[in-house]
Amino acid sequence: MALLRVTAACGARGASIDDYLDATELSRPTIYRLLKGLREEGFLRPSPVRHRYLLGYELLVLGAEAGNGASLRDLSRPRLLKLAQSLGDSFYLFAHDGRHAVCLEVQNGAYPVGSFVASIGGRVLLGAGQASIALLASLEPDERDWILAANRDELADRYDIAIDAVEAEIERCREHGYARGVEGSSLPEFTGLALPLLDHSRRCLGAMSCSMLKSRMTPTHREAVLTAMSEQIDELVSQAHGLLRTEP
Amino acid sequence: MALLRVTAACGARGASIDDYLDATELSRPTIYRLLKGLREEGFLRPSPVRHRYLLGYELLVLGAEAGNGASLRDLSRPRLLKLAQSLGDSFYLFAHDGRHAVCLEVQNGAYPVGSFVASIGGRVLLGAGQASIALLASLEPDERDWILAANRDELADRYDIAIDAVEAEIERCREHGYARGVEGSSLPEFTGLALPLLDHSRRCLGAMSCSMLKSRMTPTHREAVLTAMSEQIDELVSQAHGLLRTEP
DNA sequence: GAGTTCGTCTCACATAACGAGACTTAGAGG
DNA sequence: CCTCTAAGTCTCGTTATGTGAGACGAACTC
């Protein structure tokens, strides 16, 4: 697994033996042995640049499956796209994973944005960003509490976000039904909105969020975004519900 | 790796201990030991259904990276989308991997289609499908020859495709600059087109393909699709070229 | 044809994975 | 409330199997 991560970190150029030797404590023969195994399983493949290795296509299959619990990703993809095209902002699908929110899918719109996550698979500490608030607001109280307790220091250090502010936003989200981001020191010029994806039994499947320049967030635009998002979410959830029925 | 594949095969419901016990030769304690390691590395995560395991979100990152050699996937995604929306057919990005073509990205259009690959990560034997032809036509002759030799029996058995027909189509692709599918026994009601993605130095980066109902393939539609695809490809290749320059 | 790097091989050693089975939780169901 | 079953952990003795040092062959560079 360490070798896979090293390979990923080396990007499109591929990883060389020296990259592996530097990044791990393993000896050269051992690395070759492991590499061979990973290649045979399709987890690595030779780079067009000789003597370098790239991540194998078998990981594509696993990656696609990993992000597609309950087909949420496949279902949300065209919807995020539609939102991004019609409204111009960037839209995201997030899932809850321990102390973090994981980005399962992005569609960037015409207007540029900054965001806490760079791309699919990116993680944000729960508490930072509007999607976090939507997720936290939909969790069981005791789970939410331990997460906030666990993240408190890091939120303060890295984002300059206070737990009180997060809890206030969670409360606000409960009342108004949608989440805004908590003001922190990072990304001051951007803002966003998020909505939870709730099961018919009110279990939280994830959150859909959007990010935009603060200057674009007029009351009318906010209304437009919220309306469009909840429309997409309603359709998505009933679609997902229909699919789940066929499964067991 | 076997455990990961078992987990993937179990889908959204998750894999239970018995799934692992049945699918492998390992003992119960060993499975738990391995599962623990995979969980700690983020390659597996607990399912909402107790006592079941799902693929972890760390695989998202690896999967996204694996399919994104030279950023081809990120760059092609919006373009495939545009094509699917404006033309209504389904568009694919393929890469060459050994004896197979791997699907890196799909965008389905409004019209339904059947295809050899189910989804991202799906493999087709080189020789079957129009993307295969485009890839084969762009490979070195000696590599193409061993691939065709290796695939001959399987192509005949599973798809009822003869090597001669494949080679004729490759020749045709060289002349006309685009690939059609080879007629076989499977999917008789569908057809498609494909174009290779060629580097500025004529190295083959992959192939873009499209699939449609035979009834939609009128001469004018064919021209429209080919024109739109090559336009997207030209832009894509020069974009990719620009990115690569920044890398070393 | 000399030099360098890449990948494999051998081998002795000790780590550390293994399975059998006992044990502890934790639910489920009556 | 109490049994019953299944989930997950632990101990332990055995053995295999992965390990590093270093030598070796192969391939590419200059």
Side-chain angles (χ1 to χ4, degrees):
Chain A
M1 299 190 261
L3 295 185
L4 291 179
R5 269 194 263 266
V6 172
T7 313
C10 288
R13 186 215 304 240
S16 71
I17 297 296
D18 288 327
D19 290 325
Y20 297 120
L21 281 170
D22 293 348
T24 68
E25 304 276 77
L26 302 165
S27 70
R28 205 152 53 105
T30 303
I31 298 217
Y32 279 114
R33 281 188 279 248
L34 294 172
L35 252 40
K36 193 173 156 198
L38 289 166
R39 250 185 304 141
E40 282 166 359
E41 296 285 341
F43 283 57
L44 288 180
R45 65 192 157 103
S47 159
V49 182
R50 291 274 279 218
H51 304 145
R52 286 178 175 269
Y53 299 87
L54 295 169
L55 293 177
Y57 291 121
E58 204 60 24
L59 289 166
L60 272 185
V61 186
L62 296 177
E65 173 71 32
N68 205 21
S71 301
L72 220 62
R73 191 186 186 185
D74 285 347
L75 292 174
S76 70
R77 201 201 271 229
R79 302 186 181 283
L80 295 176
L81 182 73
K82 202 176 292 177
L83 291 167
Q85 286 195 321
S86 61
L87 295 160
D89 304 305
S90 293
F91 290 83
Y92 303 81
L93 175 70
F94 279 91
H96 165 219
D97 185 39
R99 298 164 49 206
H100 297 265
V102 187
C103 174
L104 298 184
E105 191 66 58
V106 201
Q107 286 287 353
N108 286 310
Y111 297 89
V113 288
S115 158
F116 290 123
V117 297
S119 59
I120 289 177
R123 283 188 161 78
V124 206
L125 209 59
L126 279 172
Q130 48 277 9
S132 287
I133 303 294
L135 290 172
L136 285 168
S138 315
L139 293 175
E140 302 295 321
D142 48 352
E143 183 160 25
R144 168 163 33 108
D145 290 342
W146 83 251
I147 292 172
L148 287 178
N151 290 1
R152 195 176 67 195
D153 294 348
E154 210 174 334
L155 282 172
D157 292 352
R158 290 187 36 204
Y159 302 100
D160 198 19
I161 289 174
I163 293 297
D164 294 350
V166 175
E167 281 174 337
E169 280 298 331
I170 291 173
E171 206 40 56
R172 229 198 61 91
C173 172
R174 293 216 125 97
E175 280 168 32
H176 294 73
Y178 70 92
R180 307 180 306 187
V182 174
E183 286 289 332
S185 63
S186 346
L187 301 176
E189 62 275 32
F190 297 104
T191 185
L193 299 166
L195 289 170
L197 288 164
L198 296 175
D199 210 333
H200 283 181
S201 53
R202 311 215 32 94
R203 226 168 39 84
C204 178
L205 302 171
M208 189 182 284
S209 98
C210 98
S211 169
M212 67 183 82
L213 265 170
K214 259 194 192 137
S215 59
R216 285 178 51 75
M217 181 69 91
T218 61
T220 58
H221 189 60
R222 174 182 18 246
E223 281 314 309
V225 170
L226 284 173
T227 311
M229 279 174 77
S230 32
E231 191 182 318
Q232 293 298 328
I233 288 176
D234 287 347
E235 290 177 30
L236 195 162
V237 168
S238 48
Q239 242 183 318
H241 199 64
L243 283 182
L244 283 178
R245 279 275 162 270
T246 69
E247 212 189 298
Chain B
M1 298 188 264
L3 296 186
L4 291 179
R5 269 194 263 266
V6 172
T7 313
C10 289
R13 187 215 305 239
S16 70
I17 296 297
D18 288 327
D19 291 324
Y20 298 119
L21 282 169
D22 292 347
T24 69
E25 304 276 75
L26 302 164
S27 70
R28 206 151 53 105
T30 301
I31 298 217
Y32 278 114
R33 280 188 279 248
L34 294 171
L35 252 41
K36 193 175 157 197
L38 290 166
R39 251 185 303 143
E40 281 166 0
E41 297 285 340
F43 283 57
L44 288 180
R45 66 192 155 102
S47 159
V49 181
R50 293 273 280 219
H51 304 144
R52 288 180 174 267
Y53 299 87
L54 295 170
L55 294 176
Y57 290 122
E58 205 59 26
L59 289 166
L60 272 185
V61 186
L62 297 177
E65 173 70 34
N68 204 21
S71 301
L72 219 62
R73 191 186 186 186
D74 285 347
L75 292 173
S76 71
R77 202 202 271 228
R79 302 185 181 284
L80 295 176
L81 182 74
K82 203 177 292 179
L83 290 167
Q85 286 195 320
S86 62
L87 295 159
D89 304 306
S90 292
F91 290 83
Y92 304 81
L93 175 70
F94 279 92
H96 165 218
D97 186 37
R99 299 165 48 206
H100 297 265
V102 187
C103 174
L104 299 183
E105 191 65 56
V106 201
Q107 286 287 354
N108 287 310
Y111 298 89
V113 289
S115 159
F116 290 123
V117 297
S119 61
I120 289 178
R123 283 189 161 78
V124 206
L125 210 58
L126 278 173
Q130 48 276 12
S132 287
I133 304 294
L135 290 172
L136 285 168
S138 315
L139 292 176
E140 302 295 321
D142 49 349
E143 182 160 24
R144 170 165 30 110
D145 290 343
W146 82 251
I147 292 171
L148 287 179
N151 289 0
R152 195 175 67 196
D153 293 348
E154 211 174 334
L155 282 172
D157 291 351
R158 290 187 35 206
Y159 301 100
D160 197 18
I161 288 175
I163 293 297
D164 294 348
V166 174
E167 281 174 338
E169 279 298 331
I170 290 173
E171 207 40 58
R172 230 197 61 91
C173 172
R174 292 216 126 97
E175 281 167 34
H176 294 71
Y178 70 91
R180 307 180 306 188
V182 175
E183 285 289 332
S185 64
S186 343
L187 302 175
E189 61 277 30
F190 296 105
T191 185
L193 298 167
L195 290 170
L197 288 164
L198 296 176
D199 211 333
H200 283 182
S201 53
R202 308 206 44 83
R203 224 167 43 81
C204 179
L205 301 171
M208 191 182 281
S209 97
C210 98
S211 169
M212 65 184 84
L213 263 171
K214 259 194 193 138
S215 59
R216 283 179 51 75
M217 181 68 92
T218 61
T220 58
H221 189 59
R222 179 191 3 253
E223 281 315 306
V225 170
L226 285 173
T227 310
M229 277 173 80
S230 33
E231 189 180 321
Q232 293 298 328
I233 287 175
D234 288 346
E235 290 177 31
L236 194 161
V237 169
S238 49
Q239 243 184 316
H241 200 64
L243 282 182
L244 284 178
R245 281 273 162 269
T246 69
E247 212 189 299

